[in-house]
Amino acid sequence: MGDILHSLPAVTALRQAHPDWFIGWAIEPQWRGLFAANGCRPRTPGMPLVDCLHIIPAKKWAKSPLSPSTWQEMRKVRREIRDTQYDVAVDLQGAVRSAMFARWARTRRVIGEAVPREMPAKWLFDERIATHGVHVIEQSLEVASAIAEENLPMTLPLLPREPDADARAAQLPEPFVLLSPGAGWGAKRWPPDRYGAVARNLAVAGYSVLINSGPAEEHLAREIVAASNGAAHILSLDMVGLIAVTRRAALAIAGDTGPLHLACALGKPVVGIFGPTDPARNGPFHCRSRVLRHPESVRDHTRRSQPEAGLLTITPEVVTEAALELLQEVR
């Protein structure tokens, strides 16, 4: 989710600079809600950015790589992408797997960064763009600018609107703060009892507190509710619902996780609680934010299960203070 959201500003800039270009995107199925559609069809407010969405269930394929059904699905998706007849394929993720999928398009040009996230990926690119930005959003914009042959400006991404989801979100008590306690792995995950303490503090300050509970995160949400003495309330949201709710939030608080980047992409103020990942590269960008990180935290993407030591030095009081400062700024 974070990789997609970090790429969206670049593709939005391409779309705005060249509204007549045909743009497709290949994604895992769980993230289709960021585009609110699949297949190829005319753009609408419900699908404002891309003309075509290709669903690649790569994680499912990886679980049974030798299955005949896997090979059948792979051939079908590869044929679908090739038949769309793209002129250029761009890998903004910088992984070997994403670069391989880019080559499925059989385009004249496959473009990626000169120094991608996974170095072997560069050998799958026909053109390698040297990037100089620190943040991944800046790097993606540099790649997109090279494709457009012009300097593209930073812009908030185009995200879909769904009327029913917007109507449901409009019924929530306002003003509210949205907590997202999940993370890709345990080392990035601030403890639930601390989120609960923040919820209590914000409730005293007059804010409703809602918890975004994604798949497999229900236990975290329940722990927060218990620690908050009932001040926080759980929302079970699909991606379309999360976009609608985030649009109405006064503030979002989270670690280095997709919902934090979504809030920033929607122009909402955010408090980011960081540990082993570097906010200079992956943190909030182009939105009002407070990033909290211990100076001794070291960049480490090892999938450890326990919270990183520096993350544990960040107290609920510090997070509450940062949140209230931001909320006061945006009033």
Side-chain angles (χ1 to χ4, degrees):
M1 181 176 176
D3 289 340
I4 295 170
L5 288 162
H6 285 148
S7 301
L8 278 172
V11 181
T12 299
L14 277 176
R15 167 60 69 211
Q16 293 181 344
H18 298 280
D20 57 328
W21 282 13
F22 187 95
I23 298 176
W25 202 309
I27 62 162
E28 286 270 5
Q30 65 267 36
W31 309 129
R32 75 177 71 194
L34 290 168
F35 303 88
N38 62 294
C40 299
R41 65 189 197 187
R43 276 174 275 136
T44 67
M47 187 174 169
L49 183 59
V50 298
D51 301 280
C52 207
L53 200 63
H54 304 286
I55 304 301
I56 297 185
K59 290 183 179 178
K60 186 185 83 168
W61 293 343
K63 292 178 181 178
S64 53
L66 301 180
S67 165
S69 63
T70 294
W71 283 91
Q72 184 179 12
E73 286 182 16
M74 290 173 66
R75 285 193 294 269
K76 179 182 178 182
V77 175
R78 182 174 59 185
R79 184 168 56 250
E80 171 194 301
I81 293 173
R82 289 179 180 175
D83 288 350
T84 310
Q85 297 184 327
Y86 292 102
D87 297 301
V88 179
V90 187
D91 175 23
L92 293 177
Q93 189 175 30
V96 172
R97 184 173 64 179
S98 55
M100 289 176 59
F101 292 143
R103 295 211 69 87
W104 276 10
R106 282 189 177 173
T107 56
R108 296 192 303 271
R109 304 164 67 196
V110 177
I111 301 173
E113 286 189 69
V115 184
R117 179 187 307 181
E118 297 175 6
M119 285 303 293
K122 72 177 184 179
W123 302 114
L124 295 168
F125 302 148
D126 300 313
E127 299 176 33
R128 305 179 186 103
I129 308 301
T131 58
H132 307 284
V134 175
H135 200 283
V136 289
I137 289 178
E138 295 176 304
Q139 294 164 11
S140 292
L141 271 170
E142 290 179 79
V143 174
S145 294
I147 296 165
E149 299 182 347
E150 59 185 296
N151 289 324
L152 298 173
M154 171 60 199
T155 183
L156 290 178
L158 289 169
L159 286 159
R161 300 202 77 108
E162 205 285 316
D164 289 343
D166 287 345
R168 290 191 295 272
Q171 298 174 8
L172 296 171
E174 294 185 356
F176 67 84
V177 173
L178 187 63
L179 309 182
S180 292
W185 62 92
K188 299 197 296 180
R189 195 176 296 136
W190 202 51
D193 62 307
R194 302 193 186 190
Y195 277 107
V198 172
R200 293 197 308 271
N201 296 338
L202 291 174
V204 170
Y207 292 92
S208 298
V209 181
L210 305 177
I211 308 166
N212 164 45
S213 175
E217 295 174 356
E218 293 86 354
H219 66 291
L220 297 175
R222 289 193 296 268
E223 290 179 46
I224 293 172
V225 171
S228 74
N229 296 331
H233 302 277
I234 300 173
L235 295 176
S236 294
L237 301 166
D238 60 13
M239 187 60 63
V240 173
L242 179 59
I243 292 172
V245 168
T246 304
R247 274 198 174 102
R248 300 192 72 91
L251 176 84
I253 303 175
D256 180 13
T257 185
L260 179 83
H261 305 307
L262 174 63
C264 197
L266 290 168
K268 311 305 293 189
V270 301
V271 176
I273 308 171
F274 278 68
T277 52
D278 183 5
R281 183 183 186 278
N282 297 95
F285 190 83
H286 207 67
C287 66
R288 288 182 178 270
S289 63
R290 294 286 189 279
V291 175
L292 306 174
R293 187 175 191 245
H294 192 275
E296 294 184 7
S297 287
V298 176
R299 182 174 170 180
D300 180 6
H301 287 243
T302 306
R303 266 46 175 180
R304 305 185 194 281
S305 60
Q306 296 303 309
E308 185 258 345
L311 192 69
L312 294 176
T313 66
I314 300 171
T315 66
E317 291 72 27
V318 169
V319 174
T320 302
E321 181 181 3
L324 292 176
E325 284 179 359
L326 271 176
L327 288 163
Q328 185 64 36
E329 285 181 11
V330 298
R331 274 186 179 176

